[in-house]
Amino acid sequence: MFGAWRLLRVLRSCSSAPCPRPKPAAKLSVREALRAQNSNGERVKVQGWIRSVRSQKEVLFLHVNDGSSLESLQVVADSNFDSRELAFGSSVEVHGKLVKSPAKRQNVELKAEKIEVVGNCDPKDFPFKYKERPPLEYLRQFPHLRCRTNALGSILRVRSEATAAIHSFFKDSGFVHIHTPIITSNDCEGAGELFQVEPSSKIKVPEENFFDVPAFLTVSGQLHLEVMSGAFTQVFTFGPTFRAENSQSRRHLAEFYMVEAEISFVESLQDLMQVMEGLFKSATMMVLSNCPEDVELCHKFMAPGQKIRTYAEKQLFNVAAVDLLVPGVGELFGGSLREERYHFLEQRLASSGLTEAYQWYLDLRRFGSVPHGGFGMGFERYLQCILGIDNIKDVIPFPRFTHSCLL
């Protein structure tokens, strides 16, 4: 009897145990696959878009890219795969073995066991053709598709890396990240090139403002950072800003990104310049280190530098200012020490009839004020500078400028 119960327990334990399953294929990005150290027949899954198809008598070669790197992964398949659907631009999922490549141009290749076409693409209708390198001006006509080209892929990978590098620099330097508002009642630059924010006609109340005061899309986060510099010694923001400039020049956008910082207890421009220089060097070194192939490709699109007439922007009561001007780009950095003298500001605001609107700005000088200063860097102009891209419209995913708001 004891033996029967023992046997029953064994049977129950066996029936409840999960059945062994084959190890699923590891999902790798193209970048991970190309950098794989162990390529001794490991089964993997790669998803992406076909960049090229080459058919031989018994072998089919595909190059698949998923945006993670400039280089594509070579897929080797038997010729019995249906090559009609495996066309340039189609999206695929490939299962197979990652093996060492006999070719000199790549370390590994994917020997396909299964290729599934996820989305078909007719290369005849696709606006970009295999082996063609269309100019950046042509790509701007297709904001929904241009990210699939090598040129825009490289630019956007560098943009992503530069964003991370900027945040890393400020974090390592002890800055606090502040989300300054996009909708504001202040005009920091004083140039009057503002987009006014109003509700749609369905909910608009005649002769009333939604916020009780006129509201605009921000042109700068400087004033809000000045507020924060009264509680934190080092702050920065990194976000979109807007200018309603009626210009289609190669260095103007209606929506662009600004990196801005404000530092308390600063009494010399030299202190600001050291931070500006450190930011530029640190971010650029990280980009060059992590995206060398993308930077090299972008430099092939470098245009001859043109002389740009520099100009002085209207600032709100600065004591001393410094600009960094870059050939072919114009003003890249703009920084200044802020006016901290209460009575001087009070007189200037009174003479301009702005005392009521900027009473809060006077309060900052009344309650625990300190010498402070800050700077701003145009992010798209920074990308133009390090990549040699001639037109600012080509370093932002979806450019907005006068008479153009595609997508």
Side-chain angles (χ1 to χ4, degrees):
M1 189 68 178
F2 175 78
W5 280 108
R6 187 176 181 180
L7 178 60
L8 183 59
R9 286 198 300 268
V10 171
L11 291 174
R12 285 176 175 172
S13 64
C14 290
S15 63
S16 61
C19 298
R21 296 179 180 180
K23 184 179 179 180
K27 180 182 176 181
L28 297 180
S29 68
V30 168
R31 183 185 182 93
E32 291 169 335
L34 292 171
R35 295 185 174 186
Q37 299 296 322
N38 181 15
S39 56
N40 298 323
E42 178 188 5
R43 278 188 166 80
V44 300
K45 175 175 69 175
V46 173
Q47 300 164 320
W49 293 265
I50 297 175
R51 289 294 177 85
S52 70
V53 182
R54 182 163 53 91
S55 180
Q56 295 185 351
K57 186 175 181 181
E58 298 180 353
V59 183
L60 184 67
F61 293 96
L62 306 176
H63 282 92
V64 176
N65 194 287
D66 63 354
S68 60
S69 71
L70 176 60
E71 186 180 358
S72 298
L73 176 65
Q74 179 168 281
V75 176
V76 183
D78 293 334
S79 58
N80 57 6
F81 281 96
D82 189 355
S83 59
R84 290 173 298 177
E85 290 190 350
L86 300 177
F88 172 66
S90 296
S91 56
V92 293
E93 179 175 294
V94 185
H95 295 252
K97 293 182 179 180
L98 201 60
V99 298
K100 186 174 179 58
S101 175
K104 296 181 179 180
R105 295 186 61 182
Q106 64 270 331
N107 296 323
V108 298
E109 61 187 23
L110 184 57
K111 188 175 181 180
E113 298 174 345
K114 176 185 176 183
I115 302 178
E116 178 185 352
V117 176
V118 179
N120 291 306
C121 177
D122 187 345
K124 294 181 180 179
D125 297 331
F126 197 50
F128 312 134
K129 306 304 178 185
Y130 172 56
K131 286 189 176 181
E132 287 187 1
R133 193 183 297 276
L136 296 178
E137 293 83 359
Y138 174 77
L139 299 184
R140 285 181 220 142
Q141 302 175 52
F142 307 95
H144 57 304
L145 295 174
R146 67 174 189 162
C147 56
R148 303 191 190 186
T149 64
N150 282 340
L152 262 294
S154 288
I155 291 172
L156 296 179
R157 275 189 296 274
V158 169
R159 184 183 177 102
S160 177
E161 191 66 38
T163 299
I166 289 168
H167 279 277
S168 178
F169 169 80
F170 281 121
K171 182 178 180 180
D172 293 344
S173 301
F175 281 73
V176 175
H177 184 201
I178 303 295
H179 292 110
T180 55
I182 291 177
I183 299 176
T184 178
S185 59
N186 296 311
D187 177 10
C188 177
E189 299 289 346
E193 296 159 341
L194 301 168
F195 287 104
Q196 187 159 355
V197 177
E198 294 181 351
S200 65
S201 58
K202 293 182 180 179
I203 61 173
K204 187 173 181 180
V205 181
E207 300 180 359
E208 288 186 15
N209 291 304
F210 184 85
F211 295 103
D212 290 335
V213 294
F216 311 94
L217 296 180
T218 184
V219 298
S220 171
Q222 176 190 324
L223 296 182
H224 298 95
L225 287 184
E226 283 199 59
V227 170
M228 292 297 163
S229 69
F232 305 93
T233 55
Q234 297 184 118
V235 292
F236 83 100
T237 190
F238 187 174
T241 54
F242 307 85
R243 302 282 174 87
E245 286 185 297
N246 187 17
S247 173
Q248 295 196 35
S249 78
R250 62 185 182 87
R251 63 188 183 96
H252 287 98
L253 289 169
E255 177 184 349
F256 53 96
Y257 278 70
M258 285 286 291
V259 181
E260 298 178 274
E262 197 74 20
I263 307 171
S264 298
F265 300 98
V266 168
E267 299 189 47
S268 72
L269 284 178
Q270 188 64 35
D271 294 335
L272 280 181
M273 291 166 64
Q274 288 180 356
V275 181
M276 293 159 64
E277 182 179 342
L279 171 61
F280 185 90
K281 286 183 176 180
S282 177
T284 305
M285 288 176 64
M286 186 174 290
V287 168
L288 294 177
S289 176
N290 294 339
C291 304
E293 300 89 357
D294 293 314
V295 173
E296 183 180 357
L297 178 68
C298 290
H299 284 172
K300 295 180 181 180
F301 293 90
M302 189 180 298
Q306 299 182 19
K307 292 183 179 180
I308 297 179
R309 179 173 59 88
T310 60
Y311 58 95
E313 292 185 350
K314 296 180 181 179
Q315 300 283 348
L316 180 63
F317 309 131
N318 291 325
V319 177
V322 58
D323 291 334
L324 173 62
L325 306 179
V326 178
V329 174
E331 181 186 337
L332 179 59
F333 278 90
S336 70
L337 302 179
R338 315 307 188 193
E339 178 58 72
E340 61 177 284
R341 295 169 293 180
Y342 176 84
H343 295 294
F344 179 82
L345 274 177
E346 185 179 38
Q347 293 173 5
R348 288 287 303 274
L349 289 171
S351 64
S352 304
L354 297 173
T355 300
E356 182 178 355
Y358 286 94
Q359 182 60 51
W360 64 268
Y361 200 69
L362 287 173
D363 286 347
L364 296 179
R365 274 67 180 171
R366 291 174 60 199
F367 306 117
S369 179
V370 299
H372 62 285
F375 64 84
M377 180 187 77
F379 185 50
E380 282 73 27
R381 291 188 179 185
Y382 167 74
L383 295 173
Q384 281 187 274
C385 174
I386 65 171
L387 297 179
I389 304 298
D390 184 58
N391 198 307
I392 197 170
K393 301 176 184 65
D394 298 319
V395 294
I396 191 168
F398 302 99
R400 272 79 172 100
F401 51 97
T402 180
H403 307 308
S404 179
C405 186
L406 300 178
L407 263 66

